[in-house]
Amino acid sequence: MALNTTFAHDILQPGFTVINGIYSPEEINNIISLIEAADNSAETFRKTSDLFAIRQFLKEVPGTYNLVFNSKLKAVIQQLFGNDYFVVKSIYFDKPGSSNWYVPYHQDLTISVDKKQSFEGFSNWTTKQNQYAVQPPIEILENNFTVRIHLDDTDENNGALKVIEKSHLKGIYRPETIDWQNEKETLCRVEKGGIMIMRPLLLHRSGRTNNHKKRRVIHIEFSNSELPDDLRWAERMNETKGAPLA
């Protein structure tokens, strides 16, 4: 699968790109079937009236791994980022058709690690569902990227992301300081079977659903950064588990 150079430029400058047609309808249906058949009693599963989420998704629903990392996705990642990246986080989000769930503008500033320990440049420690998260040095965040796999058509009516173009180039950018006179907000429509690739420092938000249609997304974060000393990525999937980029 050969990519237009526009995609690489968009990731560097606006900070995101959308590539449709990565998954066939059959592949999407197979992924959804495995998710629906999964045991949702684990504490990594979260279900409310507005949201169903699975943290550590690729570990909790391992049968989806080869479906998610099909030949097209592997080719996209290799062409845009090379071969030295690995998975460091995966989450499944299901926003129901009746959801009023709204997420304001934010950057993805934390990574998941295996322990809490004092390291220079690592701050704002939190724990969620027995998993440690920490804000790493900004160089790590600047180098990471996220792939969002869309299992439904997504637009302004069912919570498609809105982003502030080029905000990932401005370091830590607090939402309350957004200069709306000079910033450009863009809606990211993605077709079912398409992907959105974005930098974690890109300011983004998700709106409410008003058309009673689902918005199901698999969110996967990648890094090529090694952590200091004996600190480990909590969800790292490397060569021993079938690295998609190896």
Side-chain angles (χ1 to χ4, degrees):
M1 180 177 181
L3 293 178
N4 189 300
T5 56
T6 301
F7 295 122
H9 172 270
D10 287 348
I11 292 169
L12 288 173
Q13 288 300 313
F16 72 97
T17 194
V18 172
I19 307 175
N20 289 311
I22 298 298
Y23 299 93
S24 68
E26 181 181 9
E27 288 173 316
I28 293 297
N29 289 338
N30 288 339
I31 291 171
I32 291 172
S33 293
L34 288 169
I35 293 170
E36 291 177 343
D39 177 7
N40 61 14
S41 62
E43 59 184 19
T44 49
F45 287 67
R46 175 189 169 198
K47 191 167 187 177
T48 69
S49 59
D50 283 336
L51 171 68
F52 174 47
I54 307 173
R55 294 187 175 275
Q56 302 183 38
F57 172 74
L58 291 172
K59 291 184 178 181
E60 294 292 349
V61 195
T64 62
Y65 189 93
N66 289 332
L67 290 169
V68 166
F69 289 104
N70 66 6
S71 60
K72 287 186 177 181
L73 183 63
K74 289 181 184 179
V76 166
I77 295 173
Q78 288 171 340
Q79 289 179 56
L80 293 178
F81 301 100
N83 295 316
D84 60 342
Y85 278 83
F86 43 86
V87 174
V88 294
K89 183 186 290 186
S90 60
I91 309 172
Y92 167 74
F93 294 107
D94 177 354
K95 179 180 283 192
S98 59
S99 176
N100 285 318
W101 173 44
Y102 168 83
V103 180
Y105 268 113
H106 65 285
Q107 296 172 301
D108 292 335
L109 296 178
T110 63
I111 60 173
S112 298
V113 294
D114 66 338
K115 64 174 69 70
K116 183 177 181 180
Q117 194 170 327
S118 178
F119 291 100
E120 184 177 356
F122 289 75
S123 61
N124 299 324
W125 289 87
T126 60
T127 305
K128 185 177 292 185
Q129 296 170 323
N130 295 319
Q131 183 166 290
Y132 295 104
V134 64
Q135 184 173 325
I138 196 167
E139 294 79 15
I140 293 178
L141 297 173
E142 288 173 335
N143 213 34
N144 289 0
F145 69 92
T146 298
V147 173
R148 292 171 57 87
I149 300 164
H150 286 250
L151 308 183
D152 301 287
D153 290 324
T154 306
D155 58 24
E156 62 274 22
N157 296 309
N158 64 337
L161 289 191
K162 288 187 177 181
V163 303
I164 304 296
E165 293 193 12
K166 299 186 178 182
S167 54
H168 67 299
L169 302 174
K170 300 179 180 181
I172 305 302
Y173 192 166
R174 300 301 178 189
E176 62 270 18
T177 68
I178 296 173
D179 180 3
W180 289 109
Q181 297 297 316
N182 296 300
E183 299 292 17
K184 180 180 180 181
E185 182 182 63
T186 299
L187 177 74
C188 303
R189 298 181 180 88
V190 187
E191 296 175 5
K192 178 178 179 178
I195 62 173
M196 176 185 176
I197 303 175
M198 59 181 284
R199 292 295 188 180
L201 289 177
L202 186 73
L203 278 165
H204 56 286
R205 74 173 180 89
S206 170
R208 295 180 175 86
T209 298
N210 57 37
N211 65 355
H212 301 288
K213 293 184 178 179
K214 281 179 171 285
R215 192 213 70 181
R216 291 168 291 186
V217 173
I218 299 171
H219 169 114
I220 306 177
E221 298 178 16
F222 297 80
S223 183
N224 64 353
S225 299
E226 298 297 339
L227 300 178
D229 300 324
D230 62 344
L231 189 65
R232 300 284 183 267
W233 295 96
E235 298 179 50
R236 178 168 179 164
M237 303 188 78
N238 55 22
E239 292 77 11
T240 62
K241 295 190 177 181
L245 311 183

